[in-house]
Amino acid sequence: MPYTVNCSILLTELPLLERPAAARAAGFDAVEFWWPFPAAVPTDAEVTAFECAITDAGVRLTGLNFAAGDMPAGDRGLVSWPARSAEFRDNLAVVTGIGGALGCTGFNALYGNRVDESTPEVQDALALENLALAADAVAPIGGTVLLEPVSGAPRYPLLTADDVLAVIAQVTTASGYDNVKLLADFYHLTVNGDDVAAVIAEHAAEFGHIQIADAPGRGEPGTGALPLAHWIEQSRTLGYTGPVGLEYKTTAVDPFAWLAPENDSKDTP
């Protein structure tokens, strides 16, 4: 399938390490994860268990987030967070090690919320440094650092594709690294009021990754009003060649029922 299952938001009725096998049983050969450990630097045993869960399931890991803090509590990344910058930098070697072991090359760096103890200018300058360090860390394994707009987080400053692309341009200009790319999450872009069709028309060939959920609701394709099939088709026509990440919430007994042939339509990818 041209899809990769985000096992941090899907199949959550199962323990995390059982989800890759469940994705495989559902017919997928690729998975992605948010940071799957409670700490930025997990134990060797934790890393080994995670890697074995992927390899034993017979799936590929196509995406992995850098440590992003306590996501359920509202954290959205460490890249621009001065008090936790060292934690992000310590995480780089772990991420690169997992990526090298599993052949993963896509790494999502959540930018981070604005914090009261620092100015936006200081946070943005730090983010450029940390994104360059991340790009340098993953370059030897052919890695790409992904940066995305996020919705539903009032203090997260990157809301549109242009917001992200401006940061990427600054990283490239300052450091010379060209392996920081836009993660085009069609749900987040829509909810934040971006013109997704225009973003695709102008930048599809530059996308580092695509993720999808329907809107409103962030459910599976077909539960909302987004023309996801058309947007994916256009992205591919204009040069995007990677997988499409399934990053939606669902209460369905079968979270992938929308993929059944009888459910195929022009608006269901």
Side-chain angles (χ1 to χ4, degrees), residues 79-80 109-112 114 120-121 123-132 135 145-149 156-183:
V79 170
S80 66
L110 288 172
Y111 194 82
R114 293 303 192 203
E121 292 77 14
Q123 285 194 258
D124 291 341
L126 177 64
L128 296 182
E129 293 178 15
N130 281 335
L131 288 169
V145 176
L146 303 170
L147 191 63
E148 68 172 325
Y156 191 90
L158 306 184
L159 302 180
T160 67
D162 282 347
D163 291 339
V164 169
L165 291 167
V167 173
I168 292 172
Q170 292 177 72
V171 173
T172 301
T173 298
S175 69
Y177 287 106
D178 61 359
N179 61 329
V180 183
K181 302 291 184 180
L182 170 66
L183 194 168

Side-chain angles (χ1 to χ4, degrees), residues 33-125:
F33 279 85
W34 300 339
W35 186 240
F37 308 105
V41 180
T43 66
D44 290 345
E46 288 174 320
V47 171
T48 298
F50 176 74
E51 292 175 349
C52 287
I54 302 294
T55 56
D56 290 351
V59 294
R60 297 174 294 118
L61 182 68
T62 56
L64 181 66
N65 283 23
F66 293 95
D70 187 346
M71 296 274 285
D75 294 345
R76 289 296 182 270
L78 310 180
V79 170
S80 66
W81 193 344
R84 301 185 70 176
S85 179
E87 189 177 345
F88 176 79
R89 296 181 184 193
D90 289 344
N91 179 243
L92 297 179
V94 185
V95 170
T96 303
I98 294 171
L102 297 178
C104 179
T105 57
F107 306 101
N108 186 13
L110 288 172
Y111 194 82
N113 295 324
R114 293 303 192 203
V115 294
D116 293 334
E117 63 269 21
S118 185
T119 65
E121 292 77 14
V122 168
Q123 285 194 258
D124 291 341

